[in-house]
Amino acid sequence: MIDEEYYEEDEAPRQPPLYLLTGLVIGLLLGLLISLVIAPVQVVDTSPFLLNAADQDTYRLLIARAYQAGGNLERARARLGLLRDSAMPQTLADQALRLQSAGGSETDIRALAELAAALSAPQSAVLTQPPGLPTSPPAGSGDLPGTPQTFPTLDLNQAVWTATPLPTPTSPPPTPRPTFTPRVQPSPLPTLGAPFELAEQSPLCEANQPQPRLLIEVQDSSGKPVPGIAITVAWDGGIETFFTGLMPSISLGYADFDMQAGVIYSLRVGELSETINGLQAPTCGEGNAAFPGSLRLLFRQR
Amino acid sequence: MRLRRLIWFVVMIGIGAAAGIFYGWVLRPTQTSDFALHTLRSDYKADFVLMTAEIYQKDGDLTAAISRLAALEETPPLRQVQQAILTGQQLGYARSDIETLALFFQALQKGLPSLTTTPPP
């Protein structure tokens, strides 16, 4: 009897307070319902690096197209900096490849490839002013619009002075401010319309390379690699277009294409160049050790 | 005894609700980097519009320009460019940039006459 009373009185307080846990869970669900469904937070004033992947692609492409339109590399560089990507040339090249495999616009692919190549090029080569180029300044300022420009190492001989008034409504009457504007940057792009011709063709036997490839290098007339050049390869039953400059780690003018052994290909570089016919993977080795090799082609602008 | 339980039950609901709201309104937004273009700050939006204007200045493709602006936000294109001009003036854009935007605005006005007038309520 004593034992029964003991258990009846002492067991009840030892029960876990389930009502508290239930209340907490109900409250939590209610809070999540309110904050995620009924009144979700409205995010504003974000920065480009916080955008989702698709919109970052859109943003990068827009920067590349604006660079293609204006040729202002410093501005493109500043804009890309907002995306906080330390490997931007590779990201641009990857995006160009993705766009190409998805059948995207050639203009867009070319713009991405050109910007990737321009960013990969040594900065000194970009800022050097070779003689004979037009001396008019680029259309925009050298940095993001509205942000101070910094060109600490710019030589006065390489700069032109432009007045940049600040038409802020609350500020006093605009006073022209001298700003450094770099002269037009030499572009690694070829002269539009000038055709390319096959300068060298050689077989390449690599036993460790299972897939025969077309290894193409495109150079301008002075021997500098040229990015953003469309290369069209056609064969019986197929055609493919790709661009130089998508692998800047190898060369700005480099592009390659996987061949099939025994298939004959035609190839054209640019739009006005002659078509090279009868290209096929060479046979390397002899007898049982024979394997299909790659083909190296060097094109140079006339 | 029962009243005390009821009070604690309600208190726990309140604590849970506060935790859920804190997660949804404070924690989750700062942990996410998955925002759309329309959430960009106004100066980034203005630069987006300026890039669109620069491309239009080069290729003259108004349809493509409008679709780029549509990707930014649902606001009518003319209003977006107007806003970009205002933002650009406040931020001290170079005159050439403001002119690029102004020319783009004029092109949109010509290309989109129906959008220049405010529709009746």
Side-chain angles (χ1 to χ4, degrees):
Chain A
M1 186 65 188
I2 294 171
D3 285 348
E4 283 176 10
E5 281 178 358
Y6 172 80
Y7 282 117
E8 278 175 7
E9 287 176 0
D10 281 2
E11 281 301 309
R14 286 185 183 181
Q15 282 177 354
L18 285 178
Y19 69 99
L20 292 180
L21 196 63
T22 310
L24 192 68
V25 170
I26 290 173
L28 199 62
L29 292 175
L30 199 66
L32 290 175
L33 185 74
I34 292 170
S35 63
L36 300 179
V37 180
I38 296 172
V41 65
Q42 298 292 322
V43 178
V44 292
D45 290 353
T46 61
S47 296
F49 73 93
L50 291 172
L51 293 174
N52 59 51
D55 282 342
Q56 284 205 14
D57 279 355
T58 305
Y59 203 85
R60 261 192 303 271
L61 178 58
L62 197 70
I63 294 169
R65 290 295 307 271
Y67 166 70
Q68 193 181 43
N72 190 331
L73 184 59
E74 285 311 306
R75 177 174 276 194
R77 205 189 292 273
R79 282 168 169 160
L80 288 171
L82 300 173
L83 292 165
R84 298 191 184 177
D85 185 349
S86 55
M88 188 51 82
Q90 191 56 50
T91 307
L92 287 163
D94 290 345
Q95 186 177 346
L97 286 171
R98 271 187 278 122
L99 200 59
Q100 186 171 319
S101 58
S105 148
E106 279 194 16
T107 315
D108 292 346
I109 298 166
R110 190 190 296 257
L112 289 164
E114 283 176 6
L115 184 53
L119 291 172
S120 301
Q123 195 154 0
S124 56
V126 172
L127 291 174
T128 307
Q129 169 81 37
L133 281 177
T135 55
S136 60
S141 57
D143 206 333
L144 268 184
T147 56
Q149 299 175 22
T150 52
F151 295 103
T153 56
L154 199 61
D155 183 28
L156 280 176
N157 294 327
Q158 289 182 304
V160 290
W161 292 78
T162 57
T164 308
L166 295 170
T168 310
T170 54
S171 62
T175 309
R177 286 196 315 182
T179 58
F180 280 120
T181 306
R183 293 186 183 222
V184 68
Q185 297 151 355
S187 167
L189 302 181
T191 309
L192 285 177
F196 295 88
E197 58 187 11
L198 183 61
E200 285 178 33
Q201 176 177 338
S202 56
L204 184 67
C205 294
E206 296 172 303
N208 58 350
Q209 182 68 40
Q211 179 78 37
R213 291 180 300 164
L214 275 171
L215 309 168
I216 302 150
E217 174 77 17
V218 180
Q219 299 177 348
D220 65 9
S221 55
S222 64
K224 287 182 183 169
V226 184
I229 297 297
I231 297 171
T232 307
V233 174
W235 64 97
D236 188 14
I239 186 166
E240 189 170 327
T241 300
F242 48 98
F243 292 85
T244 60
L246 297 183
M247 280 169 268
S249 55
I250 299 176
S251 165
L252 298 179
Y254 175 83
D256 61 28
F257 173 79
D258 287 341
M259 304 169 83
Q260 296 297 322
V263 177
I264 299 174
Y265 296 90
S266 298
L267 181 144
R268 194 180 64 189
V269 174
E271 292 172 0
L272 299 174
S273 306
E274 287 181 11
T275 302
I276 312 295
N277 295 309
L279 298 171
Q280 60 178 324
T283 303
C284 296
E286 290 179 354
N288 290 337
F291 63 94
S294 297
L295 208 53
R296 182 181 281 163
L297 305 172
L298 173 63
F299 286 87
R300 195 165 288 144
Q301 201 168 23
R302 283 180 194 160
Chain B
M1 182 67 181
R2 185 167 287 182
L3 181 63
R4 206 175 70 177
R5 280 189 170 203
L6 186 66
I7 289 171
W8 274 110
F9 182 67
V10 172
V11 166
M12 293 310 281
I13 288 179
I15 291 172
I21 288 174
F22 181 76
Y23 171 77
W25 284 354
V26 180
L27 280 186
R28 192 166 175 268
T30 55
Q31 290 170 349
T32 308
S33 60
D34 193 31
F35 300 118
L37 283 168
H38 69 84
T39 64
L40 285 174
R41 215 169 57 198
S42 61
D43 52 342
Y44 296 131
K45 282 184 183 174
D47 192 42
F48 190 101
V49 176
L50 177 60
M51 286 192 272
T52 306
E54 288 170 353
I55 299 166
Y56 170 74
Q57 200 175 33
K58 179 75 174 179
D59 67 10
D61 189 345
L62 196 60
T63 310
I66 290 168
S67 78
R68 286 189 186 104
L69 292 179
L72 177 61
E73 56 187 342
E74 290 178 356
T75 316
L78 278 170
R79 195 159 300 164
Q80 287 184 51
V81 183
Q82 264 179 334
Q83 187 57 50
I85 292 171
L86 290 173
T87 307
Q89 285 174 339
Q90 286 168 1
L91 294 175
Y93 274 24
R95 179 172 289 180
S96 57
D97 292 333
I98 297 291
E99 281 173 3
T100 302
L101 286 168
L103 289 171
F104 184 42
F105 183 79
Q106 287 172 5
L108 282 171
Q109 271 185 319
K110 287 175 189 167
L112 299 169
S114 59
L115 291 178
T116 56
T117 54
T118 310

